[in-house]
Amino acid sequence: EDELELLEKGLTLAPLKDRLSFFSECLRLRRRERNLWGDTPLAKIFTPQEEWHLLRTRALLEQVNAAIQIAIKKRHIDPNQAFTKFDTDNDNSLSYEELQRALEWMQLGFSPRDYFTLVRHADKQNNGKISISEFREVFNVPEVCIFHKKEKPETVALQGNWFCQNCTYINSVHNHSCVVCEYGWTGKRECPPDKWECDNCTFYNPN
């Protein structure tokens, strides 16, 4: 907390836009990028103080949006179809409960409480309904999802090996995380057993 306060004082004269631009460029040049920073203490450095109470919701939304993009790319889930599926009265809008059920139907890996928070955040008009345009804007959903042909099943699993869902590298069955991108069998980032994760920047360091 003290280090964060010193950093904030040092950047007092730097506009928020310039801070974020510089930080994003630094992330891009790292050996292993971390694109999601909204769930870290650094988020306060890039956010006006009067909006700090929204940081947790924004961080959660960032994570859910990333999961939606993976669902589109890896599992060929079309969020637009999920929206239509639960639009029972065909008015191009969903109630809070209907949108929560649509998000749960996509199996993104978040809790009902997380969805409860986000569906209310998505209601920009505060009318108890989320339109299809609001849904696409808030959850970064393209109007048309284009799917690429899936890999043939025989390329996914070879003898004694497993297929990384993130970077497609074929790993030895003895590796619990991908040797290239450090994602685990489940498709999520996992710290290798011979390394430790920095709580501040999330970099994996050798033991």
Side-chain angles (χ1 to χ4, degrees):
E1 192 69 30
D2 292 339
E3 293 176 350
L4 191 65
E5 185 176 343
L6 287 174
L7 178 59
E8 188 177 3
K9 288 182 179 179
L11 294 173
T12 301
L13 299 179
L16 295 178
K17 183 178 179 181
D18 291 346
R19 299 180 192 178
L20 182 56
S21 176
F22 175 77
F23 183 67
S24 299
E25 185 66 13
C26 290
L27 281 181
R28 188 183 68 81
L29 295 174
R30 288 180 61 189
R31 288 184 298 167
R32 181 177 61 82
E33 294 184 19
R34 173 180 169 85
N35 294 321
L36 302 181
W37 51 265
D39 59 343
T40 71
L42 282 174
K44 291 184 177 181
I45 300 298
F46 311 119
T47 307
Q49 189 168 357
E50 61 270 18
E51 297 180 10
W52 283 3
H53 67 287
L54 298 174
L55 286 177
R56 183 190 175 280
T57 300
R58 289 177 177 176
L60 177 60
L61 178 61
E62 189 178 22
Q63 295 167 3
V64 169
N65 285 353
I68 289 176
Q69 295 306 311
I70 292 175
I72 294 174
K73 181 179 179 181
K74 303 293 184 181
R75 295 191 285 127
H76 292 187
I77 297 293
D78 187 345
N80 295 295
Q81 291 183 359
F83 188 97
T84 302
K85 178 181 177 69
F86 291 92
D87 182 14
T88 55
D89 54 3
N90 298 316
D91 65 346
N92 285 326
S93 64
L94 297 181
S95 66
Y96 291 169
E97 181 181 356
E98 289 171 337
L99 180 55
Q100 183 166 338
R101 289 168 56 199
L103 292 170
E104 291 173 348
W105 179 82
M106 287 190 281
Q107 298 181 354
L108 303 174
F110 295 84
S111 70
R113 184 173 181 176
D114 290 334
Y115 296 134
F116 179 88
T117 299
L118 290 182
V119 295
R120 283 150 182 77
H121 178 72
D123 183 12
K124 301 301 182 182
Q125 302 299 322
N126 294 317
N127 59 3
K129 288 276 192 175
I130 295 88
S131 66
I132 183 64
S133 59
E134 287 177 322
F135 172 70
R136 288 169 178 162
E137 178 183 354
V138 171
F139 294 100
N140 196 25
V141 173
E143 188 172 346
V144 177
C145 293
I146 300 176
F147 301 123
H148 299 287
K149 187 177 180 180
K150 290 185 177 180
E151 297 285 345
K152 294 181 180 180
E154 56 266 28
T155 64
V156 175
L158 302 177
Q159 293 183 353
N161 299 322
W162 59 277
F163 182 85
C164 178
Q165 299 179 38
N166 183 57
C167 71
T168 73
Y169 184 80
I170 303 294
N171 292 272
S172 168
V173 70
H174 301 292
N175 294 328
H176 294 285
S177 59
C178 179
V179 298
V180 174
C181 68
E182 297 176 330
Y183 274 58
W185 293 346
T186 61
K188 298 180 180 179
R189 286 178 54 239
E190 295 182 9
C191 185
D194 61 338
K195 296 183 179 181
W196 59 274
E197 182 178 5
C198 176
D199 292 334
N200 186 40
C201 70
T202 74
F203 187 81
Y204 293 154
N205 299 274
N207 288 331

